[in-house]
Amino acid sequence: MQFTKALFAAVTLVSSTLAQDWHDGDGNGKIQWAMDCDFNGGDYAHYNIPGEQCGRKCLESNQCTYFTWNNGVCWLKDGRHWGITPWGAKGAVCGYKRQRNDGDECGDYFDCYSSICAYWGATGHKACCRNKPDGQAGVSGYAGYDYCKLVPDGVSCWADDHCASRHCRGNLGGLKRGTCKA
C-alpha cells in the first residue's frame, strides 16, 4: 500500500511539472510561453534582455524553435532535430515558436500556428490543420487516428468529413482510399 501511494505521488509530481499553461506572445500567436519551465538543451545563443523580449528575439532568428528566459538571460534553442519537453524550473519562462502553416508537414502540435497536427487525408503524412471557419474542431477521429478536416480537392481521403468539399469519392464507405472532390 505504501509503495502504491509513493508511486502515485511521484507520477502526480511529474505530471504537474510537465503540464503547462501556454499563453499567446509576440507575433499574433506565433510565440507561446509559460511560467516556471525550461526547455533543457539545444542552446545556440543567449542575450541579457528583459523576459518580455525573449519571444521576439526567437521570432527574429530562423534557427530558433524554443527559448528559455531565466535570471535575466534569454537562451535561444534549436530543437528541430530532437524531441524537446518542458521541465519545471521555478521562476523561469519557457516558450516555443510555431513554425508551420495549414497543410505544411508537422511532427507534433508545437509545430503548427493552429496547434493542430493530424493526418492530412489518407496520405499517411501529418500536417498542420486549422479549425473550421465556424469555430468547430479542425480534426475528426477515424479508425483511432486524428485526421484534418478541410483538406482540398485532389487529396486522398478516408471519409467525407476529411474533405473541405465534404465529398470523399470512391472510398467505398471508408473501406478504401478515395479522393476529395466537389
Side-chain angles (χ1 to χ4, degrees):
M1 184 68 167
Q2 291 292 63
F3 175 74
T4 304
K5 285 181 184 178
L7 180 61
F8 176 76
V11 168
T12 302
L13 177 63
V14 168
S15 298
S16 65
T17 300
L18 297 179
Q20 301 301 322
D21 185 16
W22 297 106
H23 305 279
D24 283 338
D26 291 332
N28 294 323
K30 291 181 181 177
I31 290 289
Q32 296 285 292
W33 63 272
M35 293 294 299
D36 298 327
C37 61
D38 177 21
F39 285 114
N40 192 21
D43 303 341
Y44 71 88
H46 66 278
Y47 301 92
N48 293 319
I49 58 175
E52 29 316 318
Q53 294 177 12
C54 196
R56 190 172 315 118
K57 197 62 142 170
C58 184
L59 272 177
E60 293 169 357
S61 170
N62 289 334
Q63 187 177 355
C64 183
T65 54
Y66 302 90
F67 62 89
T68 297
W69 181 88
N70 196 9
N71 295 321
V73 180
C74 175
W75 297 91
L76 300 186
K77 298 159 181 286
D78 183 351
R80 290 176 289 179
H81 304 292
W82 45 278
I84 190 164
T85 304
W87 296 100
K90 194 78 172 149
V93 175
C94 72
Y96 62 94
K97 178 170 62 174
R98 292 187 171 152
Q99 302 287 324
R100 297 175 182 96
N101 293 308
D102 296 335
D104 291 346
E105 196 166 324
C106 59
D108 63 32
Y109 72 93
F110 278 152
D111 293 336
C112 305
Y113 293 139
S114 64
S115 295
I116 302 171
C117 179
Y119 286 100
W120 188 251
T123 63
H125 301 287
K126 286 190 170 184
C128 298
C129 45
R130 64 190 184 284
N131 284 327
K132 293 167 58 175
D134 61 7
Q136 292 182 13
V139 296
S140 66
Y142 182 79
Y145 298 98
D146 285 334
Y147 289 87
C148 294
K149 294 181 180 180
L150 304 176
V151 297
D153 285 350
V155 174
S156 64
C157 54
W158 292 111
D160 291 342
D161 196 24
H162 302 161
C163 305
S165 65
R166 306 284 295 148
H167 299 286
C168 181
R169 306 281 188 212
N171 67 340
L172 295 178
L175 295 177
K176 69 177 207 162
R177 289 183 180 150
T179 302
C180 292
K181 288 186 183 175

